């Protein structure tokens, strides 16, 4: 989940590398470094900490050259330090490598190379790659990279810059994302589009087992075996401002406030107004194929897993098809029962989540069809799936996911309705009513975002607490799980989510005088029971903040404070009720002085197991 950038051309590579690394800090930010081919040879600068630390070091000791590679790290092997930072080099310091992924057999390779006289200075798995390339290098860097890649087991995206052949960059990919940016008299490499969007909108996406050789004027694409290939060039339409803060203090707040636009974009073109039906041509799943589905498995991680739980409930209620949800890291190890007509849905914002990729590969080996719900066109999950349902949230930079999560909810609503209309489980009136309310969601969220003061005030109240609990029933419990994750990951307040009906089975023991409890209460069918649960925690001293639909006066009698949200169908409540919870987490993190966009120990895209 590290960030990689590379440049070769006629401009100052140091500046381009630094700007690219700043765009990629969401992929990791415990250390950063660059290697630049200068007139005096290959030189490296590295620094523990965020990219700004590296920038300060380069301001004092600049590297002048027009070819270079850079890296921002999220540690997997070896603690964050200058020494463990990338790029890594061989003993002669002639070959430099940046790497995203994990080399599973690095200890075996390290022992072998040490016996041959190689000396290692870091604790990383990546350093093995630079030494391995040096071991195979005679007079052909491309062949040396290919030979080294053949020995490596695991996941990698690597870029190589060598003093031996300073007029080229070599990139290779296996199970970690890498794109090639095409310029005029210059070319670029990045882990993700924002790194190079300022300079070019034309890219090649490397697939597993492919490599690229870049010079100033040329790009050669080939397999790791050396067979030349041709690929379709993609043109990226993203507005560059979408990948920047655009005047906001934090990416997270910007992305929270982008949700109405993300809702509209994900809905746009997918509702036929005349027939009141769902049309998903980009998914390429015909009604005939849908009618064969007998079981659905959903695999996801983190926030996407919480969206999947909502998706399960919605699909089952609207279609009556049984749905299982698994944490992707557990799925393949439990030997899931995959039958002939099982559909596996993989949910991933980045489309590069390693555990989710492993899960869908296991599913495909067992004969399942795979549908990807993802935010990134051309990502690994999107490419490996049989069907794709894109969420048009745009780039999400903050580590704590907001607009990607709610766009996934919208995608699940559309998918459930499409399956329902394909198999005839919903009548036209019911479908039309739900579609009408889905189309109202963007405006409802927009109106909510105009009223931030209450959430800021509540956040100030809870910021001094070390423990907080969320409760809810049904879909409210699923929202509570996401709300708890948001709060703990950026405010560092310990929080847990519990089914409200389970309080008497142990959780009540945690409640004492003043304990904050946030009760989600949008599900009318269980509202009376939820109110009873609120009274249970109140009787034990809890300070209760409820979340309810506008017009609900009963909650005000039971809770200490109520956050009112626009009224919608109970099935759509998660897409409304989660918004104030995202804001609560944001303001609580601010009140505690935390780095909102880059919470400790976390990174945006988890591309290793």
């Amino acid at each position: 989940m590290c960030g990689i950038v590379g440049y070769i051309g006629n401009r100052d590579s140091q500046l381009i590398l630094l700007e690219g690394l700043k765009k990629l800090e969401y992929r990791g930010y415990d250390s950063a470094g660059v290697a630049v081919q200068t007139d005096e040879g290959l030189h490296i600068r590295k620094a523990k900490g965020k990219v700004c630390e590296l920038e300060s070091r380069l301001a004092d000791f600049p590297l002048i050259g027009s070819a270079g590679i850079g890296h921002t790290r999220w540690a997997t092997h070896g603690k964050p330090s200058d020494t463990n930072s990338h790029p890594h080099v061989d003993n002669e310091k002639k070959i430099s490598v940046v790497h995203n992924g994990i080399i599973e057999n690095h200890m075996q390779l390290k022992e072998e190379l040490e016996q041959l006289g190689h000396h290692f200075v870091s604790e990383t798995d990546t350093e093995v790659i630079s030494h391995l390339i040096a071991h195979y290098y005679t007079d052909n860097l491309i062949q040396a990279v290919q030979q080294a890649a053949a020995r490596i087991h695991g996941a990698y995206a690597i870029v190589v810059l060598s003093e031996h052949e300073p007029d080229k960059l070599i990139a290779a990919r296996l199970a970690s994302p890498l794109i090639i940016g095409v310029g005029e008299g210059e070319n670029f490499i990045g882990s993700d589009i924002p790194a190079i969007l300022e300079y070019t909108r034309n890219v090649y996406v490397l697939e597993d087992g492919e490599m690229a050789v870049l010079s100033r004027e040329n790009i050669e694409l080939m397999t790791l075996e050396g067979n030349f290939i041709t690929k379709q060039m993609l043109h990226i339409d993203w507005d560059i401002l979408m990948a920047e803060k655009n005047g906001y203090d934090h990416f997270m707040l910007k992305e929270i406030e982008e949700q109405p636009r993300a809702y509209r974009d994900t809905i746009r073109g997918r509702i036929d107004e005349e027939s009141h039906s769902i049309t998903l041509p980009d998914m390429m799943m015909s009604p005939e194929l849908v009618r064969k589905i007998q079981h659905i498995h959903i695999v996801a991680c983190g926030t996407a897993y919480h969206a999947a739980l909502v998706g399960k409930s919605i699909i089952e209620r609207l279609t009556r098809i049984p749905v299982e949800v698994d944490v992707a890291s557990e799925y393949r190890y439990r030997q899931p029962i995959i039958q002939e007509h099982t559909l596996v849905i993989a949910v991933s914002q980045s489309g590069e989540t390693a555990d989710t990729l492993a899960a869908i590969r296991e599913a495909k080996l067992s004969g399942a069809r795979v549908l990807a719900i993802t935010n990134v066109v051309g990502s690994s999950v999107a490419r490996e799936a049989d069907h794709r349902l894109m969420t048009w949230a745009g780039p999400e930079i903050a580590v704590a996911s907001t607009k990607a999560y709610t766009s996934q909810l919208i995608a699940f609503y559309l998918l459930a309705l499409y399956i329902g209309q394909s198999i005839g489980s919903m009548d036209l009136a019911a479908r039309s009513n739900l579609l009408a309310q889905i189309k109202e969601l963007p405006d409802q969220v927009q109106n909510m975002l105009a009223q931030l003061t209450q959430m800021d005030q509540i956040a100030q109240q809870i910021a001094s607490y070390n423990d907080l609990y969320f409760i809810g029933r049904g879909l409210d419990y699923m929202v509570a799980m996401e709300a708890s994750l948001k709060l703990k990951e950026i405010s560092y307040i310990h929080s847990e989510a519990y089914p409200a009906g389970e309080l008497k089975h142990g959780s009540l023991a945690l409640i004492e005088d003043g304990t904050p409890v946030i009760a989600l209460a949008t599900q009318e069918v269980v509202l009376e029971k939820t109110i009873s649960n609120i009274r249970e925690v109140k009787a034990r001293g809890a300070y209760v903040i409820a979340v309810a639909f506008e017009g609900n006066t009963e909650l005000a009698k039971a809770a200490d404070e109520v956050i009112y949200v626009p009224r919608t169908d109970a099935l759509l409540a998660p897409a409304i009720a989660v918004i104030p919870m995202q804001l609560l987490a944001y303001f609580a993190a601010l009140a505690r002085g935390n780095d909102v966009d880059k919470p400790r120990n976390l990174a945006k895209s988890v591309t290793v197991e």
Side-chain angles (χ1 to χ4, degrees), residues 274-345:
E274 292 186 5
S275 63
H276 301 284
S277 62
I278 299 293
T279 174
L280 301 173
D282 54 327
M283 193 169 71
M284 300 180 66
M285 184 180 289
S286 67
E288 292 74 22
L289 188 57
V290 170
R291 286 192 281 271
K292 294 180 181 179
I293 298 170
Q294 296 178 0
H295 306 90
I296 295 174
H297 295 178
I298 310 177
V299 293
C301 301
T303 286
Y305 173 74
H306 296 153
L309 292 172
V310 175
K312 165 187 166 66
S313 182
I314 302 303
I315 292 171
E316 288 187 335
R317 291 196 202 185
L318 298 185
T319 74
R320 309 312 297 163
I321 296 174
V323 181
E324 298 180 30
V325 180
D326 272 278
V327 174
S329 57
E330 297 290 335
Y331 184 70
R332 61 180 172 143
Y333 298 110
R334 74 169 178 87
Q335 298 181 332
I337 299 172
I338 298 174
Q339 301 172 336
E340 181 181 2
H341 298 299
T342 298
L343 174 69
V344 173
I345 303 174

Side-chain angles (χ1 to χ4, degrees), residues 18 81 114 135 166 188 204 209 224 243 308 324 488 508 511-512:
L18 280 172
S81 68
E114 284 177 331
H135 169 70
F188 307 83
Y204 294 113
L224 289 174
E324 298 180 30
K488 70 180 72 171
L508 274 174
I511 304 301
E512 55 190 19

Side-chain angles (χ1 to χ4, degrees), residues 391-409:
T391 58
W392 302 117
E396 188 176 68
I397 306 301
V399 168
S401 179
T402 52
K403 63 177 181 174
Y405 166 78
T406 48
S407 296
Q408 289 163 359
L409 297 185

Side-chain angles (χ1 to χ4, degrees), residues 351-416:
E352 302 294 347
T353 310
D355 291 314
T356 305
L357 277 166
I360 66 173
R361 287 165 182 165
E362 180 76 14
K364 293 189 76 170
L365 285 174
S366 299
R369 300 191 72 83
V370 174
L371 165 64
I373 296 179
T374 183
N375 192 40
V376 181
V377 175
S379 64
S380 297
V381 167
R383 293 197 306 278
E384 295 193 25
D386 302 293
H387 311 279
R388 284 150 291 279
L389 181 54
M390 304 305 301
T391 58
W392 302 117
E396 188 176 68
I397 306 301
V399 168
S401 179
T402 52
K403 63 177 181 174
Y405 166 78
T406 48
S407 296
Q408 289 163 359
L409 297 185
I410 299 299
F412 271 119
Y413 293 137
L414 297 177
L415 176 63

Side-chain angles (χ1 to χ4, degrees), residues 6-38:
Y7 173 76
I8 186 165
N10 296 304
R11 293 195 250 182
D12 178 3
S13 63
Q14 175 181 299
L15 177 61
I16 293 171
L17 296 176
L18 280 172
E19 290 304 309
L21 291 178
K22 290 175 185 177
K23 300 292 196 305
L24 293 177
E25 273 198 291
Y26 62 90
R27 299 184 65 87
Y29 37 80
D30 60 46
S31 58
V34 298
V36 173
Q37 182 61 44
T38 72

Side-chain angles (χ1 to χ4, degrees), residues 171 178-182 188-189 196 202-204 206 212 214 219 221:
L178 208 56
I179 61 170
I180 308 300
V182 184
F188 307 83
I189 301 171
I196 64 173
N202 296 318
V203 303
Y204 294 113
L206 291 189
L214 284 67
I219 297 173
L221 302 172

